[in-house]
Amino acid sequence: MIADEADQNNDKGLLKKRKRLSKKERKTLKKLKKQETKKEAKELSSSSSATVVIETNYLEGYIPITEIPGDAKEEEVKTKDKSLGKWFPNAKLVKSSDGQKPDGTGKRSSLLLFYQYAQPLWPQEKVDRLLKLLVYIGKERQLGGRIRVAREGVNATVSCFGGAAIRHLAEDLKVFDGEVFSETDFKFIDDLAPDRHFKDLKVYPVQEIVYYGITDSEAPLYKGGVHLDPVKYHEKLKEDNTVVIDVRNHYEAAIGRFDGQALSDEKKGAEYIDPKMRRSTDFPSWLASEETQKKLEGKQVLMYCTGGVRCERASAYLKSKIGDKVDGVYQLKGGIEKYFKEFPDGGFWRGKNYVFDKREAVGVENPDGDGGVVRKLSKAEKKTVSDNTQTTCCCCGSPWDRYIGKKRCFSCGVPVLMCNKCMSLKPDKNPEMKLKVRCPLCVESNLTHEFTESNGTKATGKRSEQEY
């Protein structure tokens, strides 16, 4: 008790002294406190980063997986192919173990996005070997995602917890074929929410890593467009007598695109063109039209897509058909994903980048993406959405820009935008409301027939897995 009273008296004495400090002394004291706070913050930051060893020392303890051990080969023989519908009857599916799921320790997930063409084409024996190896690596490294493998190369979106396993996969591929994968642009995205990790890994044997229906002889990749890094591409977007072609599907372009250059202070630059494709196979017919060729004639042509892979064949095809009629063909190296990293404010991009992973759609202010449960918005948030969203619900017409519930167009099967309120009404199950569940392209062209297996691919969501 006496000690407490003494402490209180001392505190009072200090307060009295503080009151007697001069203005200059108070200023100095404030400055010292500020410096001390900064020092503590720096120490806290360094201690936190010390726990995230995986980002800086991801190869520590790395053991390459270059072949399948004998006992694993016997087990692999027993594993049956997992049919994933008409498009992928011989796909392999690997489940991620429960032990790799978030366990309350705050594990974050990471993504690896990449594609790589092989020139010359791999022999089929090598493709078969890689398919089996990837399945084994997926099991051993507990990977999730989607990998398409063809004689012409690989196209992949892969996830893991912690960040190390996807980097080990990249190293495994370099060991498998150093000549092909040594120049691959492996794009790593770290510190994502745990639910951005795929629960399984699907490995697809395919004919093309992006399905265009175009052969290599029709559009050899070495004759493709000039690859520009994001900074140079940004500068090109400012130039006149230029067009910028969105090589993605229309439902992707609807929620975000490169048309900000037309809204800049100069109000000039590349003219944005949306080919309004439902799928990549529509590109050749769009390019063949007289209207398209007239619009491109004499212009500098820029092209872009999500990660760069769709531009490879598309730019080569465009050059093979009308290369002599345009003033150069250029494509965005690394796609929109790389552009966002270079321009954190979005640059000339407006809206969201639709992605084929658990993030769903990514904005510059939201690297984690929209994916997941639709939360209830406050009145202020609703107003922000209403003011900034250019797309609407296919049923009620209210501002909406999320593709949720795997809702698809009644007439063509592509994803459609349906708000959560209309979702609860199940219009796609109601005969009187089915025609409301149509994409803008079908509404525009007045297509009213029902999409079935006979007039297109069954609308089960499988087709979109081609379009990374």
Side-chain angles (χ1 to χ4, degrees):
M1 191 72 180
I2 296 172
D4 288 342
E5 287 175 358
D7 288 339
Q8 286 173 13
N9 289 332
N10 284 336
D11 287 342
K12 287 175 183 176
L14 286 171
L15 286 170
K16 286 178 183 177
K17 284 182 182 178
R18 184 170 288 179
K19 285 178 183 177
R20 290 195 292 270
L21 289 174
S22 67
K23 188 177 179 181
K24 187 176 180 181
E25 287 171 328
R26 288 198 300 270
K27 195 174 180 181
T28 304
L29 186 63
K30 191 176 179 182
K31 189 176 180 181
L32 286 169
K33 279 191 173 183
K34 199 173 182 181
Q35 288 174 349
E36 192 176 345
T37 304
K38 281 185 177 179
K39 186 181 177 183
E40 287 174 357
K42 191 175 181 182
E43 286 172 355
L44 181 64
S45 175
S46 61
S47 66
S48 298
S49 61
T51 62
V52 191
V53 181
I54 211 68
E55 291 190 13
T56 51
N57 301 318
Y58 65 86
L59 283 181
E60 187 176 333
Y62 165 66
I63 299 173
I65 297 178
T66 57
E67 59 183 5
I68 305 171
D71 55 345
K73 282 181 182 177
E74 290 178 15
E75 184 184 334
E76 195 276 331
V77 172
K78 298 174 188 176
T79 305
K80 292 182 179 180
D81 290 346
K82 173 71 177 179
S83 176
L84 296 174
K86 176 181 174 181
W87 288 98
F88 309 108
N90 301 313
K92 292 280 190 179
L93 186 144
V94 180
K95 290 284 184 183
S96 288
S97 77
D98 291 341
Q100 293 298 317
K101 290 180 180 179
D103 55 5
T105 57
K107 273 190 176 180
R108 304 286 284 174
S109 65
S110 295
L111 275 173
L112 166 59
L113 312 175
F114 76 93
Y115 68 89
Q116 182 60 58
Y117 280 97
Q119 296 288 329
L121 300 179
W122 282 326
Q124 189 58 46
E125 174 274 326
K126 190 168 187 175
V127 173
D128 294 340
R129 187 155 47 93
L130 179 57
L131 283 164
K132 290 177 182 177
L133 184 63
L134 286 169
V135 170
Y136 179 70
I137 291 173
K139 288 178 181 177
E140 291 297 302
R141 303 210 183 281
Q142 290 304 310
L143 302 173
R146 311 288 179 257
I147 305 178
R148 293 166 57 83
V149 184
R151 290 191 63 200
E152 66 177 11
V154 178
N155 184 13
T157 298
V158 186
S159 67
C160 73
F161 287 119
I166 52 174
R167 289 170 167 89
H168 292 177
L169 168 64
E171 296 302 315
D172 293 338
L173 290 170
K174 290 175 189 175
V175 175
F176 175 79
D177 192 330
E179 191 174 336
V180 169
F181 291 106
S182 60
E183 298 301 318
T184 304
D185 180 16
F186 292 107
K187 293 186 275 290
F188 299 101
I189 305 169
D190 294 303
D191 197 31
L192 297 172
D195 64 0
R196 293 330 187 224
H197 172 55
F198 287 88
K199 293 178 182 178
D200 52 45
L201 175 69
K202 294 175 183 175
V203 182
Y204 304 102
V206 294
Q207 295 301 311
E208 297 178 69
I209 60 175
V210 173
Y211 184 55
Y212 274 111
I214 300 170
T215 64
D216 193 60
S217 58
E218 286 180 278
L221 293 172
Y222 69 89
K223 290 186 177 179
V226 177
H227 291 69
L228 297 179
D229 64 48
V231 173
K232 290 179 180 176
Y233 193 87
H234 183 82
E235 291 304 310
K236 280 283 183 190
L237 284 169
K238 297 177 184 178
E239 296 180 12
D240 289 331
N241 199 44
T242 302
V243 295
V244 54
I245 302 173
D246 197 329
V247 189
R248 304 170 303 152
N249 300 315
H250 177 66
Y251 65 85
E252 299 170 68
I255 63 171
R257 67 204 71 82
F258 275 120
D259 62 359
Q261 62 278 1
L263 303 174
S264 61
D265 294 337
E266 294 83 5
K267 290 186 178 179
K268 58 181 181 179
E271 176 192 354
Y272 173 75
I273 296 178
D274 176 10
K276 296 187 175 181
M277 300 183 290
R278 289 179 173 86
R279 57 194 65 85
S280 296
T281 48
D282 293 341
F283 186 76
S285 58
W286 172 78
L287 186 63
S289 77
E290 188 178 338
E291 182 185 352
T292 297
Q293 295 195 12
K294 189 175 180 180
K295 187 172 280 191
L296 303 185
E297 190 174 357
K299 302 284 180 66
Q300 197 171 218
V301 177
L302 305 181
M303 306 176 83
Y304 74 90
C305 60
T306 310
V309 64
R310 283 181 272 184
C311 287
E312 299 291 357
R313 190 69 74 189
S315 67
Y317 186 77
L318 188 148
K319 285 189 72 177
S320 72
K321 295 298 180 184
I322 60 169
D324 58 335
K325 296 178 182 177
V326 299
D327 186 21
V329 179
Y330 305 87
Q331 62 193 75
L332 177 57
K333 186 178 180 181
I336 304 160
E337 289 278 357
K338 270 287 177 71
Y339 185 88
F340 276 8
K341 285 192 174 182
E342 193 64 46
F343 294 92
D345 64 346
F348 289 138
W349 178 266
R350 289 198 311 140
K352 298 175 182 178
N353 177 28
Y354 183 97
V355 292
F356 294 90
D357 57 62
K358 297 290 184 179
R359 293 173 299 164
E360 185 188 305
V362 180
V364 290
E365 73 294 334
N366 182 23
D368 239 13
D370 288 340
V373 178
V374 180
R375 65 183 181 84
K376 194 172 182 179
L377 302 178
S378 66
K379 284 186 179 181
E381 287 175 319
K382 283 181 181 178
K383 188 179 185 311
T384 302
V385 170
S386 179
D387 292 345
N388 298 305
T389 303
Q390 299 176 56
T391 49
T392 59
C393 169
C394 64
C395 294
C396 68
S398 60
W400 190 258
D401 63 357
R402 286 195 63 181
Y403 291 99
I404 58 173
K406 296 182 179 179
K407 297 301 179 185
R408 294 186 169 262
C409 177
F410 173 77
S411 294
C412 74
V414 303
V416 291
L417 294 164
M418 187 186 296
C419 72
N420 50 348
K421 187 177 179 180
C422 289
M423 188 89 62
S424 64
L425 301 175
K426 299 182 179 179
D428 50 328
K429 307 294 182 185
N430 185 337
E432 294 180 6
M433 296 181 71
K434 279 186 175 181
L435 280 179
K436 282 185 173 289
V437 189
R438 289 186 297 159
C439 71
L441 298 183
C442 285
V443 172
E444 185 182 308
S445 54
N446 198 30
L447 284 181
T448 58
H449 65 265
E450 184 173 4
F451 188 72
T452 63
E453 192 75 53
S454 60
N455 62 20
T457 308
K458 191 176 180 182
T460 58
K462 304 302 181 188
R463 181 176 58 219
S464 66
E465 292 177 345
Q466 305 179 75
E467 312 267 13
Y468 297 155

